[in-house]
Amino acid sequence: MLTILGFVMIATFLVLIMMKKMSPMGALVLIPALFCVLVGKGAHLGDYVLKGVGDLAPTAAMLMFAIIYFGVMIDVGLFDPIVRLILRFCKADPMRVVVGTAVLAAIVSLDGDGSTTFMITVSAMVPLYRRLKMSLVVMTGVAAMANGVMNTLPWGGPTARAAAALKVDASDIFVPMIPALAVGLLFVIALAYGLGLRERKRLGVLTLDQVTAGDPEQVLVGAGSGGKGAKGRKGGKAALTGGGAGSGTDAEAPSSNGSGSSDASSHEGEDDDEFKGLDPHRATLRPKLYWFNAALTVALLALMVTETMPIPVLFLLAAAVALTVNFPNMNDQKARVAAHAENVVNVSGMVFAAAVFTGVLTGTGMVEHMARWLVDGVPEGMGPHMAIVTGVLSLPLTYFMSNDGFYFGIVPILAEAGAAHGVSALEIARASLVGQALHMSSPLVPAVYVLVGMAKVEFGDHTRFTVKWAALTSLVVLAAGLAFGII
């Protein structure tokens, strides 16, 4: 019964948010609360929720201060040179923009933290997507898939968990998987190329001058740089010099009324207040502190990778230092925090709402029953192929479970079953990494709320667009692993 109710609860959640019958925050709270009552454990709902909140509180704190930190870095101009380079590379070509998104997300993912990757990628790319009237759902999907493949780095989390759960060396898991993961990343870039061509066909051919209103050096950054001095010149609307608006593609996500796109392409009459081509001399810039801010950011990322201190503490300290040094005046500090308060509240709220979902799913035992049902359903004859089974099961299990639950609860069971048929623990561990491209878009991953929240994309739209491509990416990694004899 718990198995059935668990699957029904997850299906109900996904259907309601994709059909936009409920907001993600409301669905994350109310649906698990209802099912907790249905399984007869309503009296324990408070305990489950508090347990979930306690587990995710450090993540929420990390995201809160990370948003403030990177918001300040955007305000002071740390990423302006990167945005200019991207603008020159992309040349206002939608295909180049989407490919650039995949490459940027993959490079930034080297720090091993999804939230950081999404904050930097979104901050750099969203203004360009909006100016070109491109689909923001394409951006969130491509960024999530690129980060998912790169999330398998030894310091990214899944590989370390697999190594700890099966008592093997992380390098023995990751290094042989590099060719398969490289194929997966190339597939994401090729997919980005294809999606970019579709966007180019939908929008027509644009020129850089039309996008930047005659100022190719004008930097496009997010609304977080608002405030005094942030009122740059409004760039002209990107004109179409070829093709029409078209009737849309799969890259377009329906709006809340189902009649159009959820991204900027449906806001033709929208004023440029949210994303402007900002004056390079805006008041929030701190050019004299550029190298200090760059060194602070590099040091922060280095400390994250080496795990010198807990990540929430690192971001808390870094945000405090960044605010104090760049904005010594108290009123300026308050203004910077206020400028990013909306993102902080939205993302932190979603994380705590997700804590209700994970708390109930785990506390009632539904997730354990679901996982065991899937594992027990594997035919006995598949024993010698348990690595392949693990790779396939990693897709749904890492999507519906936390990485901790999967790697410490399920992978050891799969490894034990494989050992009985001569399948090594290393093969099981490598195969367990396959589903990470899909995992990064799971409603149980806090970082995905940073991605969709900062991009202002509906989570349901992101899910509907991304899941099929992310699942295909995971299967490509699995196929490459089999072809290379790694799995």
Side-chain angles (χ1 to χ4, degrees), residues 383-459:
H385 308 289
M386 191 55 69
I388 299 175
V389 172
T390 300
V392 173
L393 287 179
S394 71
L395 273 72
L397 290 180
T398 57
Y399 188 79
F400 297 132
M401 298 176 65
S402 68
N403 270 340
D404 285 337
F406 175 67
Y407 285 102
F408 293 112
I410 304 303
V411 170
I413 298 174
L414 295 170
E416 184 178 346
H421 296 274
V423 180
S424 72
L426 281 172
E427 290 182 83
I428 298 295
R430 293 167 191 157
S432 69
L433 302 178
V434 164
Q436 289 303 306
L438 178 59
H439 171 74
M440 287 310 297
S441 291
S442 166
L444 305 183
V445 175
V448 75
Y449 298 116
V450 175
L451 176 64
V452 299
M454 293 187 70
K456 292 181 170 58
V457 168
E458 289 289 340
F459 182 76

Side-chain angles (χ1 to χ4, degrees), residues 221-236:
V221 299
S225 301
K228 293 189 296 182
K231 295 182 179 180
R233 295 167 299 174
K234 291 184 180 180

Side-chain angles (χ1 to χ4, degrees), residues 16 45 57 74 162 274 340 400:
L16 286 176
L45 176 62
I74 293 165
E274 187 173 3
H340 306 290
F400 297 132

Side-chain angles (χ1 to χ4, degrees), residues 265-429:
S265 62
S266 65
H267 301 299
E268 302 234 351
E270 187 177 275
D271 191 74
D272 285 338
D273 286 343
E274 187 173 3
F275 287 95
K276 299 174 184 255
L278 297 181
D279 185 347
H281 304 290
R282 61 191 185 276
T284 55
L285 288 177
R286 297 293 184 268
K288 293 182 179 179
L289 293 172
Y290 184 86
W291 292 111
F292 167 81
N293 289 317
L296 179 62
T297 302
V298 170
L300 171 63
L301 297 179
L303 291 172
M304 287 171 55
V305 171
T306 57
E307 299 181 347
T308 304
M309 296 179 70
I311 293 179
V313 177
L314 289 174
F315 272 115
L316 190 156
L317 294 173
V321 171
L323 280 170
T324 302
V325 174
N326 288 283
F327 302 98
N329 184 279
M330 284 289 295
N331 290 331
D332 290 340
Q333 290 183 22
K334 291 178 181 178
R336 291 303 90 220
V337 172
H340 306 290
E342 181 182 356
N343 279 334
V344 169
V345 172
N346 287 341
V347 172
S348 299
M350 290 296 290
V351 171
F352 285 122
V356 180
F357 194 93
T358 58
V360 170
L361 201 61
T362 303
T364 58
M366 283 190 283
V367 69
E368 182 180 353
H369 280 74
M370 292 161 59
R372 288 192 174 276
W373 178 79
L374 287 172
V375 173
D376 293 342
V378 177
E380 183 66 25
M382 291 297 294
H385 308 289
M386 191 55 69
I388 299 175
V389 172
T390 300
V392 173
L393 287 179
S394 71
L395 273 72
L397 290 180
T398 57
Y399 188 79
F400 297 132
M401 298 176 65
S402 68
N403 270 340
D404 285 337
F406 175 67
Y407 285 102
F408 293 112
I410 304 303
V411 170
I413 298 174
L414 295 170
E416 184 178 346
H421 296 274
V423 180
S424 72
L426 281 172
E427 290 182 83
I428 298 295

